[in-house]
């Protein structure tokens, strides 16, 4: 079985990779006025707007660090 692993501060989490639709590289996001702080923005994916949720902002109250790994 294959998992996708991520951390939030000192806690480590895994998601079964069969539950992941697609992994994307870091893409530019469009800002959205009037949304909660944990909404990082919207990306254009295959001509559809997709909201991007910042898990660190939602769970920890601070923005995620930009990383390519």
């Amino acid at each position: 079985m294959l998992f996708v692993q991520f951390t939030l501060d000192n806690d480590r989490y895994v998601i079964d990779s069969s539950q992941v639709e697609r992994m994307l590289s870091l893409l530019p996001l469009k800002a959205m006025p009037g949304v909660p702080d944990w909404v990082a923005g919207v990306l254009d994916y295959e001509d559809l707007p997709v909201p991007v949720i910042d898990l660190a902002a939602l769970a920890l109250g601070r923005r995620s660090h930009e990383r390519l790994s």
Side-chain angles (χ1 to χ4, degrees):
M1 190 173 285
L2 185 64
F3 295 97
V4 175
Q5 176 182 301
F6 64 96
T7 59
L8 291 172
D9 280 345
N10 295 323
D11 297 322
R12 186 177 301 169
Y13 299 89
V14 294
I15 298 174
D16 185 336
S17 64
S18 67
Q19 301 298 308
V20 177
E21 174 80 22
R22 191 155 296 153
M23 299 288 286
L24 301 172
S25 59
L26 192 59
L27 298 170
L29 300 177
K30 297 176 187 172
M32 290 189 56
V35 298
D37 289 340
W38 46 265
V39 177
V42 174
L43 65 85
D44 183 28
Y45 181 72
E46 296 181 356
D47 295 326
L48 293 172
V50 177
V52 176
I53 306 303
D54 184 338
L55 289 178
L58 182 60
L60 305 172
R62 64 155 177 81
R63 306 295 288 176
S64 292
H65 305 292
E66 287 189 13
R67 293 203 180 3
L68 295 176
S69 62

